């Protein structure tokens, strides 16, 4: 078993004499337990058959952008995103030109334009086509867009000439795939989107929905100057509130004490303690989605001292603690007006998945976003997050992403789930 077992490749096969080598590539990927979903261009059918590709990949082959059956089973956007990496082998001059110019007139080019994953291409063409100025320009543009190239190699061409243009051998492509999969394969969001999430227009999927988000730590006073707190910065929760707003929702953010600005367009309520937060949540509900991203303090002192405790007190007294109400569990177990989707977070330092699964059940959540907050993970206060989504029907590990990307992906996921849920 290779370390990449379970990874998923979307393989696009173009028309070219090298297409037969794609079959060997599929076989070698499968040997490493990397799953392969193949898409063939119309021209590829002249060189290999969908049946031979399907028999080696163990999965059906997609060919047609306008197939209603395909679209009903798995939309082309989904197809382009569920993989960990998109590989084009062989990549023809024609497809590279389409990619470089953002054309999307068949399934392969549409998937390449719509994907949010890195793309690795193995070009194969006649050497004059490879060296032709338009191809040289297109390759330079694609490289600067972050497309990874493997090959082409020098060699004898099927057409009798010698030079660069031969597709890399399957083992070389495999090595390039393995190297790419070992890194972060997510494509950063386009700069225009990062600068202005509303650039997505009205297609956010949460128009007309209400979303309530908790974020940040809570402070539990011990006396007028001291409190119990934790390291939460609120960055992830605030990013989720902003992403939900950008997706069109009416958002209420209930924030503990943080050093962040209120997200534009989001009704933000500032609270200090867990009990204040709970009250604010109850007042903000009902909603379609509740997301508990706050790191609520688990304990408080039964009664904060009215005056500052003098330092000598530690010698004679221990600090009594009682448990705070569990805000998320109260929402998840609501009998009336329970949000259609209740999402919790699980911050763990060990046995991440087991503890997160237990939390999901114990707190009546639809989804738990689990993250490792152990030493070295740098989640608290940091700008990146590596999370695993845990639902009743399975789990999904996301690569390390910026907190804004985690937020956008999570919100897109919730919007889809909500649209699938029975009204
Ligand atoms: N949570 C909450 N109210 C609390 C404690 C936690 O709403 N009093 C929510 C958090 O917002 C988060 C989830 O519950 O969505 C899990 O929080 P976490 O701190 O990981 O778990 P705890 O329930 O506090 O359990 P433990 O500290 O034992 O891991």
């Amino acid at each position: 078993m290779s370390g990449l077992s379970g990874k998923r490749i979307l393989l696009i096969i173009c028309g070219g004499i090298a297409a037969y080598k794609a079959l060997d590539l599929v076989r070698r990927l499968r040997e490493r337990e990397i799953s392969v979903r193949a898409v063939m261009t119309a021209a590829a059918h002249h060189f290999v058959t969908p049946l031979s590709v399907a028999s080696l990949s163990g999965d059906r082959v997609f060919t047609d952008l306008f197939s209603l059956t395909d679209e009903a089973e798995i939309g082309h956007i989904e197809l382009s995103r569920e993989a960990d990496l998109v590989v084009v082998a062989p990549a023809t001059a024609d497809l590279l030109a389409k990619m470089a110019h953002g054309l999307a007139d068949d399934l392969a080019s549409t998937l390449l334009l719509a994907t949010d994953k890195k793309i690795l291409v193995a070009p194969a063409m006649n050497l004059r086509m490879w060296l032709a100025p338009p191809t040289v320009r297109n390759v330079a543009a694609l490289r600067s867009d972050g497309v990874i190239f493997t090959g082409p190699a020098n060699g004898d061409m099927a057409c009798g000439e010698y030079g660069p243009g031969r597709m890399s051998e399957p083992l070389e492509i495999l090595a390039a795939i393995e190297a790419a999969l070992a890194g972060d394969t997510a494509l950063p969001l386009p700069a225009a989107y990062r600068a202005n999430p509303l650039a997505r227009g009205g297609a956010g999927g949460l128009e007309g929905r209400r979303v309530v988000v908790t974020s940040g730590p809570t402070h539990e006073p011990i006396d007028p100057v001291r409190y119990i707190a934790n390291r939460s910065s609120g960055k992830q929760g605030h990013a989720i509130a902003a992403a939900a707003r950008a997706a069109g929702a009416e958002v209420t953010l209930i924030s503990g004490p943080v050093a962040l600005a209120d997200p534009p367009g989001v009704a933000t309520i500032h609270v200090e303690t867990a009990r204040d937060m709970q009250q604010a949540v109850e007042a903000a509900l009902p909603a379609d989605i509740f997301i508990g991203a706050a790191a609520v303090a688990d304990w408080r002192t039964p009664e904060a001292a009215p005056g500052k405790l003098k330092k000598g007190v530690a010698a004679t007294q221990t600090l009594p603690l009682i448990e705070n109400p569990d805000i998320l569990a109260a929402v998840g177990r609501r009998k009336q007006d329970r949000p259609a989707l209740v999402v919790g977070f699980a911050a763990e330092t060990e046995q991440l998945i087991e503890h997160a699964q237990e939390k999901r059940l114990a707190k009546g959540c639809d989804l738990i976003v689990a993250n490792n907050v152990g030493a070295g993970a740098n989640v608290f206060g940091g700008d990146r997050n590596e999370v695993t989504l845990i639902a009743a029907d399975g789990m999904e590990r996301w690569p390390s992403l910026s907190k804004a990307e985690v937020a956008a992906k999570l919100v897109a996921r919730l919007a889809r789930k909500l649209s699938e849920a029975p009204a």
Side-chain angles (χ1 to χ4, degrees):
M1 220 170 82
S2 79
L4 298 173
S5 136
K7 293 279 182 186
R8 293 159 303 176
I9 296 289
L10 179 69
L11 175 66
I12 296 177
I13 305 175
C14 298
I17 192 71
Y20 76 93
K21 290 196 209 167
L23 296 177
D24 192 32
L25 177 63
V26 173
R27 188 175 62 79
R28 290 178 189 275
L29 286 165
R30 299 289 296 131
E31 274 170 10
R32 281 155 184 80
E33 293 177 12
I34 296 173
S35 72
V36 182
R37 235 188 188 160
V39 170
M40 289 172 61
T41 65
H45 289 71
H46 295 292
F47 298 89
V48 289
T49 67
L51 189 59
S52 44
V53 177
S55 341
L56 287 167
S57 70
D59 197 352
R60 51 174 307 203
V61 172
F62 294 80
T63 53
D64 188 0
L65 180 58
F66 297 108
S67 157
L68 284 179
T69 354
D70 286 2
E71 201 58 27
E73 272 176 39
I74 175 164
H76 61 264
I77 298 290
E78 184 67 20
L79 194 55
S80 73
R81 299 193 180 167
E82 55 162 30
D84 295 300
L85 181 72
V86 181
V87 176
V88 191
T92 54
D94 178 64
L95 193 79
L96 294 180
K98 279 183 180 168
M99 284 171 73
H101 294 274
L103 297 184
D105 63 352
D106 63 2
L107 183 59
S109 52
T110 303
L111 295 176
L112 286 161
L113 194 59
T115 189
D116 59 355
K117 300 296 164 14
K118 290 200 173 138
I119 302 171
L120 186 149
V121 298
M125 65 196 74
N126 168 271
L127 75 106
R128 288 187 192 278
M129 292 170 82
W130 175 249
L131 297 174
T135 307
V136 171
R137 281 198 299 275
N138 291 336
V139 169
L142 291 171
R143 280 193 205 277
S144 86
D145 288 346
V147 172
I148 309 165
F149 278 75
T150 169
N154 281 318
D156 290 319
M157 310 257 117
C159 50
E161 290 178 289
Y162 180 89
R166 267 176 78 96
M167 187 170 88
S168 295
E169 291 305 317
L171 281 176
E172 287 165 58
I173 302 176
L174 190 64
I177 291 175
E178 287 179 336
L181 283 177
D184 182 356
T185 58
L187 215 53
L189 289 168
Y193 180 101
R194 286 201 303 272
N196 174 16
L198 295 171
R200 286 202 304 174
L206 286 182
E207 292 81 6
R209 304 291 196 170
R210 257 190 68 69
V211 176
V212 175
V213 184
T214 66
S215 179
T218 63
H219 286 182
E220 309 297 329
I222 297 170
D223 67 18
V225 293
R226 304 181 181 94
Y227 54 83
I228 302 171
N230 59 63
R231 293 180 191 277
S232 168
S233 66
K235 284 182 181 173
Q236 186 63 82
H238 277 54
I240 292 170
R245 176 74 196 107
E250 179 198 333
V251 183
T252 303
L253 171 65
I254 297 151
S255 170
V258 293
L260 301 172
D262 296 350
V266 169
T268 306
I269 298 166
H270 296 271
V271 296
E272 192 184 343
T273 67
R275 283 173 299 165
D276 297 343
M277 187 173 271
Q278 183 171 41
Q279 251 184 16
V281 166
E282 295 296 332
L285 292 175
D288 298 289
I289 304 179
F290 174 77
I291 304 168
V296 184
D298 288 321
W299 316 286
R300 66 173 190 275
T301 56
E303 199 101 44
K308 186 183 168 200
L309 297 171
K310 301 309 281 179
K311 72 178 162 200
V313 81
T316 56
Q317 221 178 298
T318 51
L319 193 63
L321 294 175
I322 57 170
E323 233 174 81
N324 266 328
D326 194 309
I327 302 168
L328 177 64
V331 177
R333 297 212 205 90
R334 268 181 165 226
K335 295 275 174 283
Q336 263 195 332
D337 287 337
R338 181 188 184 275
L341 292 175
V342 175
V343 181
F345 273 68
E348 307 290 348
T349 53
E350 60 218 344
Q351 290 177 282
L352 178 73
I353 306 299
E354 292 82 346
H355 285 160
Q357 264 159 345
E358 284 162 19
K359 266 182 203 169
R360 194 187 74 75
L361 291 173
K363 302 194 185 208
C365 300
D366 300 283
L367 197 69
I368 283 271
V369 183
N371 56 5
N372 184 343
V373 292
N378 197 24
V379 171
F380 283 126
D383 290 318
R384 296 185 76 75
N385 208 353
E386 191 171 333
V387 304
T388 302
L389 253 54
I390 297 178
D393 56 358
M395 67 172 105
E396 191 176 312
R397 204 176 150 178
W398 288 355
S400 166
L401 299 169
S402 72
K403 287 184 176 173
E405 286 166 339
V406 169
K409 253 173 99 89
L410 179 66
V411 162
R413 171 67 56 99
L414 296 174
R416 200 166 68 230
K417 261 192 185 288
L418 206 56
S419 69
E420 287 163 1

